Amino acid sequence: MTPARRTRLLQALALFSTGLLSGAFGYGAANLVPTFNAVPIGMRLDFHAELMKMNGITMQATMAVSALSTLALAASVRGRARVLAGVAGFLAVSSFLITRFGNVPINGRIKQWAATAPPPDHAEILRRWELCNDARTATAGLAFGLLIALTLRRSSGDIAPHAPSSPASTSPPSSSGQRGGPTAG
């Protein structure tokens, strides 16, 4: 596989997985959280606990693929493309860390409350969960936006994969897109 093809595949995987991540978090922020806040607390806790059981594996896998593919993309390109992909990777990792150290511990408490009763300060704790949710949604959305910008730049031919220099790869592409100039024929 050529370096250019590998870069395109990494870019597609990074864009797809980060788009899924951003979309899932965005859907949750726009639809689930307002619904959580509109129903009685017992119903919210029961639904939240069940939802987190289902989301645990799929969302963590999506975050991992998003972060790893974006960071691999950053390693495979150069210049501004590397900066954009690197920042997108940092933001994807940030989404994971916010989730792991912000939302997940609170989810564990919510699961306990669903089986018993919420403590007197539950509203403040749920507000912290929503702030973490907003932060991870923003970081995932920004990462996706940066990858869109990178893709638009790439489609206009502004970036190239990072590859070792060789005599054949140092000359500019010809009108056919091949390095080394036109072929005699």
Side-chain angles (χ1 to χ4, degrees):
M1 180 182 305
T2 66
R5 181 154 172 79
R6 189 175 315 115
T7 298
R8 283 192 304 274
L9 290 174
L10 278 171
Q11 187 171 9
L13 180 61
L15 186 63
F16 179 74
S17 61
T18 306
L20 283 176
L21 183 65
S22 177
F25 284 154
Y27 177 83
N31 296 295
L32 292 177
V33 171
T35 303
F36 284 162
N37 292 330
V39 299
I41 188 68
M43 184 182 292
R44 178 208 173 131
L45 298 177
D46 288 341
F47 182 73
H48 194 119
E50 285 302 312
L51 182 64
M52 293 311 115
K53 282 184 203 174
M54 303 306 291
N55 279 351
I57 293 171
T58 57
M59 291 306 295
Q60 288 190 39
T62 304
M63 284 185 274
V65 172
S66 177
L68 293 174
S69 62
T70 305
L71 292 172
L73 176 63
S76 73
V77 294
R78 61 179 182 254
R80 254 179 227 236
R82 178 172 281 174
V83 172
L84 288 173
V87 173
F90 171 78
L91 291 166
V93 169
S94 296
S95 290
F96 171 78
L97 293 173
I98 292 165
T99 300
R100 179 65 191 97
F101 296 108
N103 297 92
V104 169
I106 296 172
N107 289 343
R109 294 175 81 177
I110 290 171
K111 185 178 177 183
Q112 292 172 343
W113 302 344
T116 58
D121 66 339
H122 73 276
E124 175 59 29
I125 295 167
L126 293 174
R127 189 181 75 68
R128 279 199 319 262
W129 184 93
E130 290 177 16
L131 288 173
C132 289
N133 190 60
D134 291 344
R136 70 184 181 174
T137 300
T139 56
L142 288 170
F144 185 48
L146 288 174
L147 289 171
I148 289 170
L150 178 62
T151 300
L152 293 174
R153 288 188 67 207
R154 177 144 177 73
S155 67
S156 67
D158 288 346
I159 67 170
H162 177 68
S165 294
S166 68
S169 67
T170 56
S171 61
S174 68
S175 60
S176 69
Q178 299 296 317
R179 295 204 178 268
T183 58

